[in-house]
C-alpha cells in the first residue's frame, strides 16, 4: 500500500480542512480585489483559492457542478486552469466521439 503524503494526512482532520477552506475563500477574495491591478495576480491567486475550496468542501463542489452544468464554456476554461483530471477525461472522450463520427462510413444503401 502506498504511503499517504503529509498533506493528505493533515487533510484528514476536520479542523485542517476548515482552515484550508477558509484560506481558499480568502485567496478568492484577494484575487478579486487585486484583479484590477496590472499583472497576472488574479489568474494565479483565484484558481488556487478555488482549488482549495473544491478540495475541502462538499458544499463548494456541489455549487461548482451546478455552475459547470449551466455554463459549460466557462467551466471548461476553469477546469483547464485548475488542471482537473475530469476535464482531461472529458476532452479525450469528446475527441474520440468526433473521431468516430468522422471515420464512420455513411451506411446508406443505394439499391
Amino acid at each position: 500500500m502506498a504511503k499517504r503524503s503529509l498533506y493528505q494526512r493533515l487533510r484528514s482532520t476536520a479542523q485542517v480542512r476548515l482552515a484550508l477552506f477558509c484560506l481558499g475563500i480568502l485567496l478568492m477574495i484577494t484575487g478579486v480585489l487585486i484583479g484590477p491591478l496590472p499583472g497576472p495576480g488574479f489568474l494565479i491567486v483565484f484558481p488556487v483559492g478555488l482549488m482549495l475550496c473544491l478540495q475541502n468542501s462538499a458544499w463548494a463542489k456541489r455549487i461548482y457542478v451546478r455552475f459547470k452544468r449551466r455554463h459549460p464554456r466557462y467551466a471548461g476554461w476553469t477546469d483547464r486552469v485548475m488542471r482537473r483530471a475530469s476535464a482531461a477525461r472529458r476532452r479525450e472522450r469528446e475527441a474520440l466521439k468526433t473521431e468516430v463520427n468522422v471515420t464512420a462510413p455513411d451506411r446508406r444503401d443505394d439499391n
Side-chain angles (χ1 to χ4, degrees), residues 3-36:
K3 194 173 178 183
R4 291 181 1 170
S5 70
L6 176 63
Y7 178 70
Q8 289 173 336
R9 285 182 295 195
L10 285 175
R11 270 189 46 205
S12 64
T13 62
Q15 293 85 5
V16 173
R17 289 178 68 88
L18 179 63
L20 288 171
F21 177 73
C22 292
L23 177 64
I25 295 290
L26 182 66
L27 285 174
M28 288 193 310
I29 292 170
T30 303
V32 170
L33 292 176
I34 66 171

Side-chain angles (χ1 to χ4, degrees), residues 22-75:
C22 292
L23 177 64
I25 295 290
L26 182 66
L27 285 174
M28 288 193 310
I29 292 170
T30 303
V32 170
L33 292 176
I34 66 171
L37 298 176
F42 175 79
L43 295 176
I44 296 170
V45 175
F46 190 82
V48 170
L50 182 62
M51 180 181 62
L52 283 173
C53 287
L54 291 176
Q55 283 181 347
N56 295 298
S57 170
W59 170 79
K61 283 181 190 177
R62 282 193 304 271
I63 290 177
Y64 181 69
V65 167
R66 272 189 238 138
F67 173 78
K68 280 174 55 169
R69 287 187 181 141
R70 288 185 186 144
H71 309 286
R73 190 169 129 198
Y74 299 119

Side-chain angles (χ1 to χ4, degrees), residues 34 37 82 84 86 94-95 106 109:
I34 66 171
L37 298 176
M82 292 183 358
R84 294 177 56 92
S86 62
E94 288 172 0
D106 194 8
D109 291 329

